[in-house]
Amino acid sequence: MKEIKKVVLAYSGGLDTSIIIPWLKENYNNCEVIAVSGDVGQGTELDGLEEKAIATGASKLYIEDLKEEFIQDFVYPTMKAGAVYEGKYLLGTSFARPVIAKRIVEIAKKEGADAICHGCTGKGNDQVRFELTIKAFAPEMTIIAPWRTWDIKSRDEEIDYAEAHNIPLKINRETNYSKDKNLWHLSHEGLDLENPDNEPQYGKEGFLELGVSPENAPDKPTYITLSFEKGTPTKLDGKALSGAEMVEALNKLGGENGIGIADIIENRLVGMKSRGVYETPGGEILYHAHSKLEELCLDRDTLHYKEQIALKFAELVYDGKWFTPLRTALSKFVDSTQEYVTGDVKLKLYKGNIIDAGVSSPYSLYDEEIATFDKDEVYNQNDSAGFINLFGLPIKVQGLKGLTKED
């Protein structure tokens, strides 16, 4: 076995990675541990992280600002594909892992590391997402996954280990939800949520962090206008925003109006069902607005075919297969469909609802003169008889042969 002298750790400062630094040093002959935190919008979670990492045994901490890359190169391509996992999950954790893991590999190579370590459990999807990205960019790199080898079996035992090693934690046993936060979303798992018959405690102080529950949202609606260019969001109410700025602004507006809360029982890649509550206020708004604009600008065949590939795209992202030929090819197809997805979408946000309030585009395929119920000079309704005769010919022949069945 290769001797491990230097390890680069994917470090969040949460419960798992907080105890992994001393564990690595105990189990790998006091190896050097270099911590890397990918900033994809965790906000205050990064406060004091360097001091904590050094105090618990790391030789240094990299904090890499990946927010704009995360949104532009991972989130927006997924949104333009219309990819939603199992109809509800907007993939907030899924596409954050490849961007973080890619940067960790870059730093591991720069530092001459012998191994990369992550704190993902053996029950989760994230271990796959991290490791597939590492295999794509550093196929010979040793990967250390403590949850698959150590004697610790629960989050309570992790807290015991932290207390025994004087490692400060921001959680306690009573509020020990497993959470993942980035610019796009916040997930909550564990504790009472492990029983799917329990209603989430939306009203409990501190549970929802990105917004309020719909019943606590204002009684007055909020109107917004989103502008897109070739499928990419560019302006909010006429103001040009970067990707990170756009999501931050929509998170605030959506959160204030109770938008984007989803209670999901999902099928994990590793075979089990898991239950979590996801907050994705800005993402819910962007997906809705983009879909509305596509209704106006895409032809029927393209729109319907995109709906089919969206399922596969979501599955690839969920499974950690971002850096694969198929995902790359599907993104190129999606980009080709977005050439004319340009325009403005007006929305009304009200108590958890996103209500369409108007859409316009210089490339609109909607023709009011053709679609009108009033008199027109461009559509001959008699043409439809011949169309129906030919379109229905196979059904007519089936009937003539007495082969039509009622069920």
Side-chain angles (χ1 to χ4, degrees), residues 6-59:
K6 184 184 292 189
V7 179
V8 169
L9 168 66
Y11 183 72
S12 68
L15 177 57
D16 297 321
T17 57
S18 291
I19 68 172
I20 282 176
I21 293 176
W23 183 89
L24 284 170
K25 298 182 79 67
E26 288 174 359
N27 289 271
Y28 288 89
N29 197 27
N30 199 33
C31 64
E32 180 182 359
V33 179
I34 298 170
V36 179
S37 295
D39 181 2
V40 286
Q42 299 94 311
T44 57
E45 290 182 10
L46 298 173
D47 293 348
L49 215 56
E50 182 174 11
E51 180 183 355
K52 180 177 180 179
I54 301 299
T56 51
S59 63

Side-chain angles (χ1 to χ4, degrees), residues 385-403:
F387 164 74
I388 294 170
N389 285 337
L390 294 178
F391 187 68
L393 184 58
I395 297 174
K396 179 178 179 179
V397 171
Q398 179 179 286
L400 290 170
K401 300 292 184 178
L403 300 176

Side-chain angles (χ1 to χ4, degrees), residues 180-346:
D180 180 78
K181 182 180 182 181
N182 60 46
L183 194 57
W184 187 248
H185 91 151
L186 173 65
S187 64
H188 311 254
E189 294 179 320
L191 298 182
D192 55 302
L193 297 178
E194 291 188 347
N195 183 347
D197 195 38
N198 289 334
E199 180 181 3
Q201 301 179 54
Y202 297 131
K204 184 177 180 180
E205 184 178 355
F207 182 78
L208 293 176
E209 296 182 27
L210 300 185
V212 300
S213 61
E215 57 263 42
N216 292 327
D219 294 329
K220 181 180 179 181
T222 299
Y223 284 86
I224 63 170
T225 299
L226 279 166
S227 301
F228 291 80
E229 293 182 11
K230 295 186 176 182
T232 298
T234 56
K235 295 179 182 179
L236 173 60
D237 294 330
K239 181 180 179 181
L241 299 174
S242 69
E245 291 169 341
M246 178 68 74
V247 175
E248 286 177 344
L250 291 176
N251 276 342
K252 183 176 185 299
L253 291 168
E256 291 170 348
N257 287 279
I259 304 294
I261 302 169
D263 182 354
I264 302 173
I265 299 173
E266 70 192 60
N267 289 294
R268 282 186 177 173
L269 175 61
V270 294
M272 71 185 72
K273 289 185 181 291
S274 66
R275 193 270 189 105
V277 170
Y278 295 88
E279 299 180 63
T280 322
E284 196 77 39
I285 294 169
L286 283 172
Y287 264 76
H288 186 108
H290 179 261
S291 176
K292 188 64 182 179
L293 188 57
E294 284 193 325
E295 288 180 16
L296 191 69
C297 298
L298 293 187
D299 64 278
R300 179 176 181 263
D301 284 347
T302 301
L303 183 64
H304 289 185
Y305 194 75
K306 266 195 87 247
E307 290 174 345
Q308 295 180 49
I309 71 103
L311 296 174
K312 186 60 181 178
F313 199 108
E315 188 177 88
L316 290 170
V317 176
Y318 188 86
D319 291 354
K321 294 182 177 180
W322 185 270
F323 296 106
T324 59
L326 180 55
R327 200 284 308 163
T328 301
L330 290 180
S331 283
K332 291 184 182 299
F333 165 74
V334 169
D335 285 343
S336 74
T337 70
Q338 301 297 292
E339 183 177 359
Y340 300 117
V341 183
T342 294
D344 296 330
V345 182
K346 292 182 288 186

Side-chain angles (χ1 to χ4, degrees), residues 54-210:
I54 301 299
T56 51
S59 63
K60 67 175 77 170
L61 170 69
Y62 288 86
I63 297 181
E64 300 292 293
D65 187 351
L66 304 175
K67 294 190 290 294
E68 195 63 26
E69 180 183 356
F70 172 48
I71 299 299
Q72 295 288 354
D73 295 349
F74 294 82
V75 173
Y76 281 174
T78 305
M79 180 206 67
K80 287 190 285 187
V84 181
Y85 185 69
E86 297 188 336
K88 294 175 74 175
Y89 178 38
L90 298 186
L91 298 163
T93 303
S94 308
F95 44 35
R97 297 312 182 227
V99 67
I100 295 171
K102 177 171 171 283
R103 184 58 58 88
I104 288 172
V105 168
E106 292 168 357
I107 291 172
K109 289 181 176 180
K110 171 186 170 184
E111 291 281 354
D114 304 303
I116 291 174
C117 179
H118 63 75
C120 308
T121 76
K123 288 185 176 182
N125 300 306
D126 281 345
Q127 59 181 334
V128 181
R129 297 162 183 158
F130 268 113
E131 294 186 30
L132 292 191
T133 300
I134 295 168
K135 291 178 187 299
F137 292 104
E140 305 302 324
M141 183 68 69
T142 297
I143 298 172
I144 300 173
W147 265 107
R148 302 203 291 253
T149 60
W150 63 15
D151 295 329
I152 297 171
K153 301 302 180 184
S154 70
R155 289 177 69 81
D156 264 349
E157 290 184 11
E158 284 187 290
I159 294 174
D160 291 339
Y161 184 97
E163 290 175 347
H165 289 74
N166 297 314
I167 299 171
L169 299 174
K170 294 181 179 180
I171 62 172
N172 57 52
R173 297 177 195 273
E174 289 71 38
T175 61
N176 186 22
Y177 285 107
S178 175
K179 295 189 178 187
D180 180 78
K181 182 180 182 181
N182 60 46
L183 194 57
W184 187 248
H185 91 151
L186 173 65
S187 64
H188 311 254
E189 294 179 320
L191 298 182
D192 55 302
L193 297 178
E194 291 188 347
N195 183 347
D197 195 38
N198 289 334
E199 180 181 3
Q201 301 179 54
Y202 297 131
K204 184 177 180 180
E205 184 178 355
F207 182 78
L208 293 176
E209 296 182 27
L210 300 185

